[in-house]
Amino acid sequence: MKDMDRAQVPGEAVEHTLTFADGTCRRVFVTSVETPYPHGKLIVSRTDTSGVITQCNKSFVDMSGYTEAELIGQPHCILRHPDMPAAAFADLWKTVQAGRQWHGYVKNLRKDGGHYWVYATVVPNVRNGEIVGFTSVRREASQEKILAAEAQYRSMN
Amino acid sequence: MTFNFSVSPSFPNERISDWYIFNTWLQRALSLPIHLELYDSFGTQRAAIAEGKVDIIYANPFDASLLVREKGFRAIARPEGQPDEMVVITAAESPFKEIPDLKPGARVACSDDPSVNTVGRILLEPADLNAANTVEHRRETYIQVAREILRGEADVGFLPVEAFEALSSIVRRDLRVLVTSQVHVIHHVFLIGPALSPHAEQITQLLLSMHDTDKGRGILEALGARSWQAVQHEDVEFMIDIISTLTQ
Ligand SMILES: Cc1cc2nc3c(=O)[nH]c(=O)nc-3n(C[C@H](O)[C@H](O)[C@H](O)COP(=O)(O)O)c2cc1C
């Protein structure tokens, strides 16, 4: 995946290198700016069986800071934030590939280096008995739940 | 054989006669005997569905999931336009300015509409409120939900947007919307069951062209719809996947 463009990240930013489950790396720039969750909305995306984004709604696009064209066809880890422990996503993949639902609190990285918190549910799309892809629906999390997740992830990293 | 038609009880009472008129139109146009059975609660309708007493239904999205995934029903049409959305309301004078202002013990007035209640519950999550730390007041009608708020007997209430907008301006003046859902992808659908599947094509064509005649348009208007739109099976599967994430 392409490194993040420093020019797209306004103000002070910290550089990190993410290493993904497949061994590839991405250089990202992270600020401390949080974008608040849009009240009342659901953030929805779908992927193929390998986690490549195939479809997303407007809230997903707006919150990510990318355009829809920049997102479709990219692996979902385009949103991976360095504060998220790899173990959370390993658990996600193990769960949904086994045909079950996964939920958890996720801190996502925006194109501008900022972040947003969600409570995410991922389900396998089962058609004629076969998993043909995955859908994720995110909703607003309470401040308390976010603080607890933050502390837990810090201890895992 | 007479087929049974039913309608999700999520519509206002004033529309009961309009659904009978729709059913008469449907029977005539199809030359099939169809009996309209309306249930006064979601629970009794679900029981009828479980007993196989429904062959064609205008279903709310949550019942549609059950019918498609477990009963072999197929979605054939949906109303054009606005998806189903809901509002969380409070009294105009209440101290709550946004959802996180609500505290454990909050009293929640709602009907027994599963779609509205599920989405409403999700919209209370940012305050860490759930079934265990709130007091739910179940009411028969949307008007009664609004009344609970006006009388100060409940802190918040759940209403479909349509029902909220149908309240008189005097009632609405004393209410305030804390949040409106913008789920977009969830809507009512027309479904047909296995017994009617030989007629699926005919029924679909009939619904999709209903707005082409004055008579059809008149009936649609009375039901609060402009026209029926085709639905792809995958669209409904997608809607059901989304609903499954909301009901865990
Ligand atoms: C439907 C679906 C939605 C996902 N949504 C996100 C997301 O919003 N943010 C994220 O960091 N990872 C998300 N993931 C997980 C990523 O695919 C990926 O596992 C993660 O970003 C970590 O990267 P890695 O597994 O390549 O190490 C999602 C996966 C699926 C199947």
Side-chain angles (χ1 to χ4, degrees):
Chain A
M1 179 177 300
K2 271 202 340 218
D3 286 340
M4 243 165 101
D5 183 358
R6 179 66 180 88
Q8 297 283 336
V9 180
E12 253 178 71
V14 179
E15 182 178 332
H16 289 267
T17 300
L18 296 170
T19 305
F20 298 115
D22 65 2
T24 60
C25 293
R26 185 189 190 206
R27 194 163 58 129
V28 298
F29 299 95
V30 175
T31 73
S32 56
V33 180
E34 175 165 7
T35 300
Y37 194 99
H39 304 309
K41 295 192 186 186
L42 297 179
I43 300 176
V44 181
S45 65
R46 293 178 94 174
T47 70
D48 64 13
T49 50
S50 68
V52 169
I53 301 170
T54 54
Q55 190 183 327
C56 54
N57 72 353
K58 185 167 180 304
S59 303
F60 184 92
V61 174
D62 291 349
M63 288 301 279
S64 74
Y66 292 95
T67 63
E68 184 170 353
E70 287 172 319
L71 292 164
I72 304 292
Q74 290 299 313
H76 220 306
C77 55
I78 189 169
L79 301 184
R80 168 83 187 274
H81 194 285
D83 291 351
M84 283 299 295
F89 296 114
D91 180 55
L92 180 162
W93 278 101
K94 199 176 80 190
T95 306
V96 297
Q97 278 170 338
R100 288 181 283 119
Q101 286 199 1
W102 179 87
H103 11 255
Y105 296 88
V106 178
K107 184 177 190 176
N108 275 327
L109 181 64
R110 291 166 48 92
K111 183 181 181 178
D112 64 8
H115 67 272
Y116 58 98
W117 277 96
V118 298
Y119 176 67
T121 303
V122 184
V123 292
N125 306 135
V126 180
R127 306 289 184 268
N128 303 312
E130 231 177 280
I131 297 178
V132 298
F134 301 100
T135 298
S136 178
V137 178
R138 295 93 174 165
R139 49 214 225 208
E140 187 174 354
S142 74
Q143 215 43 48
E144 254 124 283
K145 294 278 171 32
I146 291 173
L147 290 174
E150 213 161 28
Q152 189 197 353
Y153 294 156
R154 206 176 299 122
S155 72
M156 290 165 75
N157 263 334
Chain B
M1 172 184 177
T2 299
F3 298 102
N4 288 309
F5 171 43
S6 194
V7 178
S8 174
S10 33
F11 62 89
N13 279 336
E14 304 85 76
R15 289 206 179 129
I16 290 181
S17 57
D18 300 313
W19 279 110
Y20 278 98
I21 294 168
F22 175 90
N23 187 56
T24 305
W25 170 86
L26 189 67
Q27 287 200 78
R28 292 223 179 108
L30 292 171
S31 303
L32 286 175
I34 299 175
H35 165 74
L36 174 61
E37 185 77 45
L38 295 176
Y39 298 90
D40 57 9
S41 78
F42 289 88
T44 52
Q45 187 178 57
R46 281 216 161 171
I49 291 168
E51 289 167 31
K53 287 186 183 160
V54 175
D55 302 304
I56 172 167
I57 181 169
Y58 183 55
N60 73 66
F62 285 69
D63 289 337
S65 303
L66 176 89
L67 287 158
V68 170
R69 290 272 161 97
E70 287 164 38
K71 298 278 170 191
F73 276 61
R74 203 178 110 193
I76 55 170
R78 55 164 288 198
E80 184 209 328
Q82 291 304 309
D84 295 2
E85 302 292 357
M86 57 81 62
V87 287
V88 180
I89 54 166
T90 188
E93 315 271 76
S94 89
F96 312 115
K97 296 295 170 232
E98 49 179 23
I99 295 289
D101 295 338
L102 295 164
K103 295 282 169 286
R107 299 160 302 166
V108 179
C110 59
S111 67
D112 69 343
D113 183 325
S115 301
V116 172
N117 291 352
T118 305
V119 175
R121 283 286 167 193
I122 285 171
L123 297 185
L124 296 188
E125 286 174 355
D128 268 326
L129 295 181
N130 52 51
N133 64 6
T134 52
V135 184
E136 189 169 287
H137 297 186
R138 284 269 168 141
R139 292 293 167 259
E140 298 271 311
T141 65
Y142 301 131
I143 305 282
Q144 288 171 0
V145 170
R147 211 171 281 149
E148 285 255 319
I149 304 292
L150 294 174
R151 290 192 188 133
E153 285 161 10
D155 301 305
V156 287
F158 297 160
L159 292 179
V161 166
E162 220 191 0
F164 176 70
E165 286 172 351
L167 296 172
S168 76
S169 55
I170 301 173
V171 172
R172 260 186 300 163
R173 200 185 51 204
D174 292 331
L175 298 171
R176 186 155 41 82
V177 173
L178 279 176
V179 63
T180 304
S181 74
Q182 288 172 274
V183 171
H184 295 304
V185 279
I186 294 187
H187 46 73
H188 276 59
V189 277
F190 246 104
L191 300 160
I192 54 170
L196 269 174
S197 64
H199 303 281
E201 205 44 43
Q202 192 193 358
I203 299 173
T204 309
Q205 288 318 317
L206 186 66
L207 290 176
L208 298 188
S209 60
M210 188 173 179
H211 60 284
D212 290 342
T213 64
D214 288 342
K215 166 117 191 161
R217 258 198 312 277
I219 298 171
L220 277 164
E221 208 173 292
L223 294 174
R226 263 200 308 266
S227 68
W228 301 112
Q229 275 184 335
V231 287
Q232 302 305 316
H233 188 67
E234 180 52 30
D235 294 340
V236 176
E237 290 282 357
F238 178 48
M239 178 175 94
I240 295 173
D241 281 335
I242 291 194
I243 288 171
S244 78
T245 72
L246 306 180
T247 50
Q248 27 88 26

